[in-house]
Amino acid sequence: MEGLTPTGVDERQRTARLSVVAAVALVAIKLTAGAFSGSLGLVAEAAHSATDFVAALLTLFAVRVAVRPADREHHYGHGKAEHLAALAESAVLGLVSLVIGAESLRRLVESSPAQVDVRWWTLAVIVVVIGIDLARAIASARAARRLESAALASNALHFASDLAGSVAVLIGLALVRAGHQKADAIAALFVAVLVVIAAVRLARRSIDVLMDRASTEAEDAVRAALAPLPVEVRRVRVRHAAGFDFVDLVIAVAPDVAVGQAHAVADSVEEAVHRTLGRSDVVVHVEPRALEGPLRERVTAAAQTVADVREIHNVRVIRTGDAYELSLHVKLPPGQPLEQAHEVVSRLEAAIRGAVPEVRDIHTHMEPLADTDWARRPTPREVADQAAVIDDVVERLTGSPPIAVRFRDAEAGRILLLDIALAGEQPLRVAHRRAGEVEEAVRQQCPELVDVIVHTEPAREDEPDAPAGSDGSGGSGGSGGSDARAGD
């Protein structure tokens, strides 16, 4: 998860400290002017600024706490401290608004309202206050947008309401000076209403964050960003705190995708979310997609999900009415006790039934993994003639000798693992067709081979072809044994 840079942290704290200083100055100015003039509007504005002083102190505390990194007790960081502070500010604002509103109504219903002495310096004070409110509202709003700070955004909202309240008080005092004494109480009541509106908006926004209310805009943006990727988006959960989006995703991929491939897909999903939402912490859970396709392929895919199953073969499907019966051979570790082997096979059958519900009965034949399966490497003397024939076939069809020729004795017979070099710039379909031609020619010349697996690699013009007796390092068909070739 990304954090704020030291510059961003310092700017938040500097903005919060300036807010504290400005709030103290405004409280002193408004309270002094209100006391000398008897203006309830100025006193209300002083109280409003006093709440801003408390808010600024809470903001200063919040931004110092919120920037702390995640620790053992706070795995998601301390970003919600800002929203806790903002909620406390809204409670203070609401309480003050009730007091101001009650006093304003009392003055309005009195037959002889309190006299307000409006001098020129009273109006000058309120004009200065308006200038200060305007400057700090703009500064806090810019900092809040740049730093994505909930606490600074709440401060900007307070300062904007201060500005509106100060303008209302100025109008009220001007009317009082013109002979309308109740105008001051009306201005004070207007300030109280502004405070209530600000408190409700701030509380609602803070509660949404603290209660992890889902953001439909963020969820829609995430789904749109993932639409081009080869994944099925099953669940998106997004919550926001202190400028961060915490995203939990559940995606589905093809059931035959390897672990490494699934991890790469998850990485691409995270990158897409980061590009869309910016500062975000993303957790991706990967699930297999529902099995599809022909019945045999679905059976094989289901078997791959069961631990300890080494191989299945001889899969036979028999249709009986509206259902199917299935028989197969399954290879398991040779030293495994029968009890454990039976438990593995039971899990295999359960996995197949879940993936292929149309199968009614499953007949499983258990076999130990043979010691000869991909284990014994024939000696060069055993395959000298075969290797010479293969060399001739590959050089005739590709123009260069094979990179590597390896043989393995499996249970069904001898298997050839053949690596050849082809021109790297040719299309894959052409290379595949050439590899098929090589395979077919080898099968015709060496019919005793039960299988021929051809691996193709791009030829390197800057390096000489591998000599006939060397073991290529790039082959995909073996596991590092010596070449079984003529001349070794």
Side-chain angles (χ1 to χ4, degrees), residues 245-269:
D245 286 303
F246 295 88
V247 184
D248 293 334
L249 289 170
V250 176
I251 63 172
V253 299
D256 56 348
V257 168
V259 175
Q261 292 174 309
H263 181 73
V265 171
D267 285 343
S268 65
V269 167

Side-chain angles (χ1 to χ4, degrees), residues 125-458:
V125 166
I126 198 65
V127 169
V128 171
V129 167
I130 289 174
I132 295 176
D133 286 338
L134 179 61
R136 64 180 185 159
I138 293 175
S140 291
R142 289 176 176 174
R145 285 195 299 269
R146 184 169 56 256
L147 302 174
E148 299 183 22
S149 169
L152 293 180
S154 67
N155 266 0
L157 179 62
H158 296 164
F159 299 154
S161 66
D162 275 355
L163 176 62
S166 298
V167 171
V169 171
L170 177 61
I171 295 173
L173 291 178
L175 291 174
V176 169
R177 190 177 177 87
H180 304 282
Q181 288 294 326
K182 290 190 176 182
D184 180 63
I186 294 174
L189 185 61
F190 177 77
V191 172
V193 172
L194 289 179
V195 174
V196 170
I197 294 173
V200 171
R201 291 179 60 186
L202 179 59
R204 184 175 61 184
R205 186 169 56 188
S206 300
I207 290 173
D208 285 346
V209 173
L210 294 173
M211 294 298 295
D212 293 328
R213 182 176 181 179
S215 170
T216 55
E217 294 83 2
E219 179 178 343
D220 292 343
V222 169
R223 290 187 180 275
L226 301 184
L229 299 181
V231 298
E232 174 190 337
V233 180
R234 292 186 171 175
R235 189 183 71 193
V236 179
R237 295 194 300 187
V238 183
R239 63 186 182 89
H240 186 86
F244 277 97
D245 286 303
F246 295 88
V247 184
D248 293 334
L249 289 170
V250 176
I251 63 172
V253 299
D256 56 348
V257 168
V259 175
Q261 292 174 309
H263 181 73
V265 171
D267 285 343
S268 65
V269 167
E270 289 186 33
E271 293 172 2
V273 175
H274 287 313
R275 287 194 302 269
T276 302
L277 299 182
R279 297 168 60 207
S280 55
D281 183 273
V282 185
V283 177
V284 182
H285 173 71
V286 182
E287 295 179 347
R289 201 181 273 140
L291 294 174
E292 301 173 352
L295 191 145
R296 289 177 187 271
E297 295 179 8
R298 292 157 60 195
V299 168
T300 302
Q304 292 175 348
T305 66
V306 181
D308 291 330
V309 172
R310 296 295 184 263
E311 176 191 331
I312 64 169
H313 60 98
N314 290 354
V315 179
R316 293 183 176 87
V317 180
I318 305 172
R319 188 181 183 100
T320 56
D322 295 334
Y324 295 89
E325 290 187 2
L326 181 70
S327 67
L328 70 156
H329 293 208
V330 55
K331 288 191 175 183
L332 303 169
Q336 194 173 54
L338 176 60
E339 185 177 10
Q340 293 182 12
H342 182 268
E343 191 272 334
V344 172
V345 170
S346 297
R347 285 192 282 114
L348 170 64
E349 293 179 358
I352 294 175
R353 292 181 191 278
V356 194
E358 56 266 41
V359 171
R360 182 175 59 189
D361 292 320
I362 303 176
H363 308 279
T364 308
H365 174 70
M366 294 184 291
E367 298 178 0
L369 194 67
D371 293 336
T372 58
D373 286 353
W374 295 92
R376 194 177 78 84
R377 295 175 174 83
T379 63
R381 188 179 303 278
E382 293 179 287
V383 294
D385 294 339
Q386 291 176 328
V389 170
I390 293 166
D391 283 350
D392 292 340
V393 169
V394 173
E395 191 155 9
R396 173 168 52 85
L397 294 178
T398 67
S400 60
I403 298 175
V405 177
R406 292 184 289 273
F407 295 90
R408 298 292 182 267
D409 281 339
E411 198 170 39
R414 181 159 295 168
I415 296 174
L416 167 65
L417 307 176
L418 177 62
D419 296 358
I420 64 174
L422 298 175
E425 65 274 8
Q426 63 182 300
L428 178 60
R429 63 178 183 276
V430 177
H432 179 263
R433 184 169 63 249
R434 183 61 56 84
E437 294 172 356
V438 171
E439 177 183 344
E440 182 62 26
V442 170
R443 289 182 183 276
Q444 291 178 357
Q445 296 294 325
C446 304
E448 65 275 13
L449 296 174
V450 297
D451 199 4
V452 177
I453 302 174
V454 180
H455 170 73
T456 57
E457 293 189 6

